[in-house]
Amino acid sequence: VGGGTEGALPGILLSLAMTLGMALLTVISRRHRHVSMIPATGVSAIQLAIIGFLMTAPFAVPAHEIAILAVFAIVQAPSFALYIEGARRLATAQAALISALDVPLGPFWVWLIVSEIPTLATVIGGAVVLAAVLGDILRGMLAERARGRRGIDRQR
């Protein structure tokens, strides 16, 4: 089953808002490196849970879906906290590239867990993002290795 286009605009706008929010969060984390963002991350998770509870009919959700959401929350919250802590120690562009891994990995996890087959456009877009992230990591490793060799050559 591929993704449809019905009602795509609200999803696209939400995706844009989330991307801008992550960019802002990364910049704030870098700007205020001396401040741990873990408490703010926890408070925001609680606030979002309350807002979600108030905006939906939570008791109309089947128990197995609540279990899926609980597992998602248990996995997502620590991984997000780790990203926030790591973003303080990386260059902003590197942190943004790492957060972009959500694009290719999200559909992969959905395919793996729910058996929803991604569209060809999704696979191609994910491959482009994944290649960019891996290319940046490789470029950084090669640059680090070159700096190390120049230091050894200078000592000789």
Side-chain angles (χ1 to χ4, degrees), residues 9 19 29 31-32 47 49-50 59 72 75 93 100 103 106 110 112 120 129-130 132 135-136 146 154:
L9 184 60
T19 301
S29 295
R31 176 84 167 106
H32 302 285
Q47 289 173 337
I50 292 169
F59 300 110
F72 175 75
V75 171
V103 174
V110 171
L112 188 66
L120 180 60
V129 172
L130 191 57
D136 183 68
R154 286 184 190 147

Side-chain angles (χ1 to χ4, degrees), residues 30 81-91 95:
R30 297 265 310 136
L82 289 173
Y83 169 75
I84 294 302
E85 285 300 302
R88 293 172 38 194
R89 294 166 175 81
L90 295 173

Side-chain angles (χ1 to χ4, degrees), residues 119-137:
T119 63
L120 180 60
T122 300
V123 172
I124 291 170
V128 168
V129 172
L130 191 57
V133 173
L134 293 176
D136 183 68
I137 291 169

Side-chain angles (χ1 to χ4, degrees), residues 8-76:
L9 184 60
I12 291 169
L13 293 175
L14 181 58
S15 169
L16 176 64
M18 290 172 55
T19 301
L20 292 174
M22 281 297 292
L24 181 63
L25 181 67
T26 301
V27 170
I28 290 171
S29 295
R30 297 265 310 136
R31 176 84 167 106
H32 302 285
R33 288 183 194 181
H34 60 285
V35 178
S36 174
M37 297 294 170
I38 298 289
T41 303
V43 169
S44 71
I46 292 168
Q47 289 173 337
L48 289 172
I50 292 169
I51 291 169
F53 184 82
L54 295 174
M55 292 180 68
T56 62
F59 300 110
V61 177
H64 73 279
E65 290 184 15
I66 290 176
I68 291 171
L69 289 171
V71 169
F72 175 75
I74 290 168
V75 171
Q76 180 66 21

Side-chain angles (χ1 to χ4, degrees), residues 92-119:
T92 305
Q94 286 178 321
L97 274 175
I98 289 170
S99 72
L101 284 174
D102 184 43
V103 174
L105 294 179
F108 170 74
W109 294 121
V110 171
W111 168 74
L112 188 66
I113 296 168
V114 188
S115 300
E116 180 179 317
I117 300 171
T119 63

